[in-house]
Amino acid sequence: MSGIVFVTAFLDLGEDRSQNKSVDVCFNHFNSLARTGNPIHLFLSASYKEAYDRICKHPSNVFVEYVELGQLDTFREIADLDVRLPSSRTEFKDTRAFLTMMNAKAELMQRATGVSASERYSWSTRHFAWIDFSIFHVVRDTEATIKYLADLSKAEFPSENCMLVPGCWGAPHINAATLFDAINWRFCGGFLVASVDAILELNELYRAHFRRLVSERGLTWEVNFWSVLENEYGWQPQWYKADHDDSIVRAHI
């Protein structure tokens, strides 16, 4: 099978998330994504295996890799730091563990590129898409979006230097002074499409700068960190206008 492999994750943060979406609700949203039939590489905590078995029933297009947040470089690189969290945040949701997980997207995508086709149901591709586990929470027309994603998986993308990232705000609207204190929506965060070389580049930027920036300036949302990489370290994604609705996955190709 060729086309895009979709990468997502649902990790146990080891904290009370009951004021957010329940585990069952999240898995039901994921079922909509699985219905696309697209190849999906799911990073999942072992504590969620029972819920996955019960609600999702092992769709044939989903490859599950069990991993824990504490096993990721994004977690380990800052584990010894007494980090500052954003001053303008939703405290029950935007915790240290949550922000760490959000910043692990580049690492998880890079990890997915290293899994051989023989290990992953013979899927062969040069392109991967990050898609949030509960992306269908923001979708208005579920059936139309399922069809669009199924078609998108078969689309042609540039073989190199492809990093398509949706965003709400144009670059002139970014206030660099607030990137470690308040959410900035230069990027939506829930979706992107990239070639392998572009994924490796993004992860290399993280490994080069993440610990130092967290130590010096604080831990922030991944969308804000991406803005820092764009503004200060030469990251050049292909941005397209979208919002936190059906438009988020409508990559411009």
Side-chain angles (χ1 to χ4, degrees), residues 146-163:
I146 288 172
K147 182 180 185 306
Y148 182 85
L149 287 171
D151 292 340
L152 184 70
S153 184
K154 304 176 184 68
E156 294 291 330
F157 293 89
S159 60
E160 296 181 347
N161 195 32
C162 174
M163 178 62 77

Side-chain angles (χ1 to χ4, degrees), residues 172-218:
H173 297 285
I174 297 301
N175 182 353
T178 68
L179 287 173
F180 288 85
D181 285 303
I183 191 73
N184 279 243
W185 292 118
R186 164 67 172 158
F187 303 105
C188 296
F191 185 76
L192 63 84
V193 178
S195 55
V196 171
D197 64 308
I199 293 168
L200 299 181
E201 177 195 16
L202 179 58
N203 190 55
E204 287 170 2
L205 286 169
Y206 258 92
R207 304 286 70 82
H209 304 294
F210 183 62
R211 176 181 166 85
R212 178 178 54 79
L213 287 171
V214 171
S215 176
E216 295 174 355
R217 299 161 73 176

